[in-house]
Amino acid sequence: MKYFAHDSAIIDDGAKIGDDTRIWHWVHICAGAIIGKQCSLGQNVFIGNQVVIANNVKIQNNVSVYDNVIIEDDVFCGPSMVFTNVYNPRSAVSRKDEYKTTLIKRGATLGANCTIVCGNSIGQYAFIGAGSVVTHNVADFALMVGVPARQIAWMSHYGERLDLPLTAEETVEAICPHTNEIYRLENGLVSLVSHQP
């Protein structure tokens, strides 16, 4: 075993866990889960059977990652944020064959107490503000806040707000104030262009 697990953690036989991952108090990982390298699972985290978590993912306390959630590298899941996997749950109606897939792309941040409604994709390096409720797909680098969440700005890889409008008729560029990376807004989408010389 090349990962750390606290004595109180329950790791079902069959779960795949990468090297240098840290699993803390009262975590439960189901048998079918796949977890990458150098992840951190905080206190009271639950990981379902049909879950794939890539490398260097940080999942803070009291987060349940249910079936059909896929999390790419370098994602941050804030304390008590919520995933779902059924859009219209009823206690008396079994909908296990209707789970909707949720994809969290590389580098995204999911703030504390936010909710990601199932079936949506969160773009690379997007930033979901604390307490927000995401009800639709989110673009790369988008900063989303509110209930339901709406985009208010763009964010850099580093997590700095970029000096870009939400939309523009012409191509617009901005520089991350921390890293000097150049970002371009074009056709309603932001991309990383290059490092500032």
Side-chain angles (χ1 to χ4, degrees):
M1 184 171 75
K2 296 184 179 179
Y3 59 85
F4 167 81
H6 188 268
D7 289 344
S8 64
I10 299 169
I11 301 172
D12 294 344
D13 290 344
K16 296 184 172 120
I17 301 169
D19 294 350
D20 301 320
T21 284
R22 296 170 311 284
I23 300 163
W24 296 102
H25 303 68
W26 306 302
V27 170
H28 181 190
I29 300 173
C30 292
I34 300 171
I35 300 170
K37 299 176 182 178
Q38 298 177 328
C39 294
S40 176
L41 308 184
Q43 179 175 301
N44 198 36
V45 166
F46 169 79
I47 308 294
N49 275 300
Q50 298 171 44
V51 170
V52 177
I53 297 171
N55 302 315
N56 196 39
V57 172
K58 292 179 175 59
I59 302 177
Q60 302 298 301
N61 295 356
N62 305 313
V63 175
S64 292
V65 186
Y66 297 116
D67 287 354
N68 287 47
V69 173
I70 300 167
I71 301 176
E72 294 185 351
D73 291 345
D74 304 325
V75 167
F76 178 87
C77 297
S80 301
M81 62 80 46
V82 176
F83 291 105
T84 67
N85 60 10
V86 175
Y87 188 76
N88 56 339
R90 291 288 198 198
S91 179
V93 179
S94 176
R95 291 199 161 107
K96 291 185 178 180
D97 59 345
E98 297 178 23
Y99 288 166
K100 295 183 182 297
T101 298
T102 298
L103 173 62
I104 313 299
K105 293 185 180 178
R106 182 185 185 110
T109 291
L110 310 179
N113 289 300
C114 75
T115 297
I116 310 300
V117 174
C118 59
N120 293 303
S121 175
I122 308 300
Q124 292 187 44
Y125 301 98
F127 199 107
I128 311 302
S132 301
V133 178
V134 174
T135 59
H136 59 273
N137 292 338
V138 173
D140 295 350
F141 302 106
L143 171 59
M144 308 287 292
V145 299
V147 180
R150 62 184 180 83
Q151 186 178 357
I152 61 165
W154 302 97
M155 299 287 274
S156 72
H157 279 105
Y158 194 78
E160 296 280 356
R161 193 165 173 164
L162 295 168
D163 186 17
L164 289 170
L166 289 181
T167 60
E169 292 184 7
E170 298 180 355
T171 300
V172 183
E173 292 185 348
I175 298 172
C176 173
H178 188 86
T179 65
N180 291 326
E181 293 170 327
I182 300 172
Y183 292 82
R184 178 177 295 154
L185 171 60
E186 189 172 28
N187 298 320
L189 299 173
V190 166
S191 59
L192 173 64
V193 179
S194 67
H195 291 280
Q196 178 77 348

